[in-house]
Amino acid sequence: MTAIRATAPRTPLGRRFGLLMGALLLSSLGNGLCFPFTSIYISQLLGLGGRAAGGYFIAMAAASFAAALAGGPLADRGSPHRVGALGGAALAVGYALLAPAGSVAPVLASGVCVGAGFGLFYASIVGIVDTAVPESGRRSAFAIRHIVNNAGIGLGSVAAGLALHGAATPVGALRWLYLANGLAALPLIAVILGVRPRARPGPEERPGAAEASESAEKSGGGPTYRTLLRARPMALLILAQALFAIVGFTQIEATVPLLMHDRMAVTLGWVSAVVAANSFALIALQPLLRRRLERLPETVSLAAGPVLWTAAFSCGLGAALAGEAAPAAVRYGLLLAFAVIFAAGELMYSSAFYPLLLRWSGEAAVGRASALASLAWNLGTASGPPIGLFVVANASATGSWLALALGAAAAFTVAAALHSRTTGT
């Protein structure tokens, strides 16, 4: 196995990356305008019922799966920028279709377009970001991309809440929001097409690359999905992606708010404050932690993510044990500490996962590797909320927080195995 790679000198990310993040912020803001309301919009406001809403999400999931599998090789053979632009166009069309929808057919067509758009976009965005920054800026770039995506969705949700508050005809207001979401994808398409790859130095040695290259040579073609997954570090990395989504990201989005409100009698205002604290902490911590993150080997940073999540869930456990009789400063202080520590874990993940994916896949297979990461993420986001909600429904507040902490600890074991595998320790 190779030795731990030295951290590259800190390098400015450049104007092209800034433009890309600006366009991504606008697109994410558009997504935030709509995504919390889609099932309500289809089933109730359009009067099409739960089956139509379920059909939309099934169509979206199936199209996303197929598009990611197809988009990975397309990005590797040609240009990730063309694949990303095609994905952005599909998103624009899909969301625009929901604006005038009044029957099941356009709803299902919208689901197919949106799913295909996400599948193509996420199979290509890693390569697009990578070509917009110097190699030494990868870790900061992907951490910033994570922050921008979350900030855009948060701002969009706030804007949607203001637009819908007191609206006489919410269905009419939502039609405009879906149209705005479709339009918000257009600048992203233009910027993606305007960003051109820069020359890279020769590929560096990376764990698992020798196995992938040897298998590719024997097959007479480029690395396939099977080839990538045969390399143990890559397989562990993809497994870690799914686990991080299951035990981490989906839990703070879906499970923790319900846990605080239903099991701990936390008011909706404080639930919103904790969620907002997590988003603001992401923005505040990134510049503070940037230098420290760049000094850590990627595998160490990746393993540190679930360690911090375990500590964060332990803060929630402390708040539950304190109970309603505890001083408000103690109880809510622990919940706010949960939000901030969890954000630090998110930054550990985002600064390490995609740089590792790029380094271990090689530039000839980054599209396929990105598609595998996207599929693992989708699997995690589909299974994480039902698991978390089941725990909350069948356990006490302390039991639920303990289960969340144990889940994060389980994700750490995979990340630790990945570090051990790549360093020979």
Side-chain angles (χ1 to χ4, degrees), residues 223-240:
T224 64
Y225 288 116
R226 182 179 297 180
T227 301
L228 289 170
L229 291 176
R230 280 177 180 169
R232 183 62 62 84
M234 180 62 72
L236 286 172
L237 189 65
I238 297 302
L239 175 60

Side-chain angles (χ1 to χ4, degrees), residues 242-264:
L243 282 176
F244 284 14
I246 292 171
V247 307
F249 291 100
T250 59
Q251 301 311 321
I252 193 171
E253 293 171 358
T255 305
V256 169
L258 182 68
L259 170 57
M260 289 190 293
H261 183 263
D262 287 8
R263 293 295 189 188
M264 298 175 65

Side-chain angles (χ1 to χ4, degrees), residues 56-121:
Y56 171 87
F57 288 106
I58 291 171
M60 184 172 70
S64 178
F65 184 89
L69 287 178
L74 286 174
D76 290 336
R77 286 198 298 266
S79 166
H81 302 79
R82 285 193 288 270
V83 175
L86 182 61
L91 287 172
V93 171
Y95 285 121
L97 278 174
L98 270 184
S103 61
V104 173
V107 166
L108 295 180
S110 170
V112 170
C113 288
V114 170
F118 278 123
L120 294 172
F121 182 76

